[in-house]
Amino acid sequence: MPKFRRSSRAARVLVPGAVAVALLAGCAQGSGGAASATGPAAPAGTSPAAGSPTPGSPVTVTPDPDGTVAPGTLLVTDFGSDTVTFVDPARGATGSVEVGTAPYGLAVGGDGRAWVATAEGVAVVDTAGRKRLALIPYRTDTGPVTTGEYRGGGMGIALAPDGRRVYVGVNVPGGNGALEVVDTAALKVTDVVPVGRRPFDVDVSRDGGEVYATDHDSFDVTVVAAGTLEPRRIEVAPYGTEGGLGSWLKPHYTAVRPSDGKLLLPFEGERLAVVDPRTGRTTIEPMTANTHQHGTTVTADGTLLTVGTGPIDPDVDEGPSLTVRTPGGAERVYPLEGPHESVAVSRDGRTAYVTGGFTRDGYWDGLTVVDLGTGDTRRLPAGSRPLGIAVL
């Protein structure tokens, strides 16, 4: 059995008057409020009516000189706006496209189309032509269209390996969420599957047979069979569920391990939950960063990268960081300046790009570029509270 240092996290975060909880209550509470405390809410509207996809028009900021998207260009979702932004890792933003209110996650297919989860619907973006092709409304009623941490609408999103389906986790403020299935040829929602509360992340197995919704506020992962769309809940709570909505110790993002299809969920820079989706069994491995963790990704060789957003209690926890963990469990922790949210890796595996958007206070409008060989970092202004990220 692995040995863990003694942690007082559970006791700390459940004290209602604790300073840490007061400062960071947003992530902890998950109360389904319509707008975030980090900034003013957008004017309330109504969810888009069901019907055919709505065409959109691009908003170009600074186009590339030849009008093309260079390999290695980054695409980020501007959670603080209604756009996605193209980013040259060397020189910054090169253009933006309007997609819909408060875009969160995104997935990019081999055909160059990007699928973006917004508060209004799933936007379809032609990344070569830099224009929105469609906005596909959700079937799930998520209430008025708002912005901020607890806004309704799409959160995690993933594309099936064959490119025929997109799966998007839809947050319903104050209640359980849904996994909506989009037909990528017809550009419409074909099915809706019930999942847990606030589906932060959605992932697909390598063979496309299963879909995984990581449900932040219900301490679980919903496993959905792609063929039958039957859901199955697996609790993932290595610290327990005692705090309920007031707890900090919830799952955020998941990576699917290439070697065996197991799910990797980091918690607090202390514990890595390794979940077998077939049996529902969870094993725990130690981690070393000792910081509240959010975004994660895994490379083809099984290297796990996890974003540390910063301390729950600054007196005992470490600051923001990026953890790089080998398949054998060895870790290197790169300190970061300020909170971050998600991470992507360059195609050559030498560089990590970490978004500064963050779902809580302390976010900033840019990325941190991390040289994984030297540990050197540089901040690159780009976008408006960039959250999701993909390498084109």
Side-chain angles (χ1 to χ4, degrees):
M1 292 290 291
K3 294 182 179 179
F4 300 95
R5 62 181 176 80
R6 184 176 179 179
S7 172
S8 59
R9 288 186 187 276
R12 283 204 308 272
V13 301
L14 299 180
V15 178
V19 173
V21 176
L23 291 174
L24 300 170
C27 185
Q29 292 297 326
S31 59
S36 169
T38 59
T46 57
S47 298
S52 59
T54 305
S57 43
V59 179
T60 302
V61 177
T62 309
D64 285 329
D66 59 1
T68 62
V69 176
T73 295
L74 310 174
L75 186 65
V76 299
T77 58
D78 295 321
F79 193 58
S81 182
D82 59 358
T83 55
V84 291
T85 294
F86 295 84
V87 182
D88 182 318
R91 58 192 177 100
T94 63
S96 297
V97 173
E98 184 177 335
V99 291
T101 303
Y104 192 99
L106 79 160
V108 179
D111 59 1
R113 289 189 295 176
W115 304 82
V116 185
T118 81
E120 303 175 55
V122 176
V124 188
V125 176
D126 173 2
T127 61
R130 297 198 176 193
K131 61 182 179 181
R132 190 181 77 179
L133 303 175
L135 181 63
I136 305 167
Y138 303 119
R139 284 191 187 175
T140 304
D141 181 7
T142 62
V145 174
T146 61
T147 62
E149 182 179 2
Y150 298 118
R151 66 128 176 90
M155 298 187 73
I157 191 168
L159 183 65
D162 63 8
R164 296 173 61 184
R165 288 178 170 181
V166 163
Y167 303 95
V168 57
V170 178
N171 178 43
V172 178
N176 287 340
L179 182 76
E180 299 209 357
V181 184
V182 176
D183 183 312
T184 59
L187 297 181
K188 66 178 183 180
V189 174
T190 58
D191 294 282
V192 179
V193 182
V195 297
R197 297 175 70 105
R198 291 183 75 207
F200 254 64
D201 195 18
V202 174
D203 297 273
V204 182
S205 64
R206 297 189 73 186
D207 64 4
E210 290 183 331
V211 185
Y212 312 112
T214 303
D215 308 315
H216 177 270
D217 283 359
S218 48
F219 297 90
D220 59 46
V221 170
T222 303
V223 179
V224 178
T228 64
L229 297 181
E230 288 294 321
R232 176 167 50 91
R233 176 183 183 269
I234 299 176
E235 182 177 287
V236 187
Y239 293 89
T241 64
E242 180 183 354
L245 292 179
S247 172
W248 277 94
L249 310 176
K250 304 171 186 174
H252 289 84
Y253 296 83
T254 297
V256 181
R257 189 158 63 188
S259 60
D260 57 9
K262 291 184 178 180
L263 311 181
L264 307 177
L265 294 91
F267 285 78
E268 308 307 317
E270 292 183 333
R271 303 178 184 184
L272 178 68
V274 182
V275 180
D276 186 334
R278 290 163 288 279
T279 65
R281 182 172 180 265
T282 298
T283 57
I284 303 297
E285 299 176 7
M287 297 187 75
T288 61
N290 186 29
T291 187
H292 190 61
Q293 290 175 316
H294 274 207
T296 190
T297 192
V298 67
T299 63
D301 69 353
T303 299
L304 182 71
L305 292 89
T306 301
V307 180
T309 68
I312 293 175
D313 183 346
D315 290 335
V316 296
D317 300 334
E318 300 297 331
S321 63
L322 175 68
T323 293
V324 180
R325 181 185 178 91
T326 69
E331 293 186 346
R332 180 174 180 180
V333 179
Y334 301 80
L336 299 176
E337 181 185 345
H340 292 67
E341 184 69 20
S342 301
V343 59
V345 184
S346 62
R347 298 200 184 282
D348 64 9
R350 297 178 180 178
T351 309
Y353 308 106
V354 195
T355 58
F358 189 40
T359 57
R360 281 296 301 136
D361 299 330
Y363 61 82
W364 60 285
D365 296 337
L367 319 172
T368 294
V369 181
V370 183
D371 184 316
L372 296 177
T374 66
D376 292 339
T377 63
R378 59 184 173 88
R379 286 163 71 94
L380 183 67
S384 174
R385 195 178 179 180
L387 208 67
I389 184 169
V391 179
L392 302 179

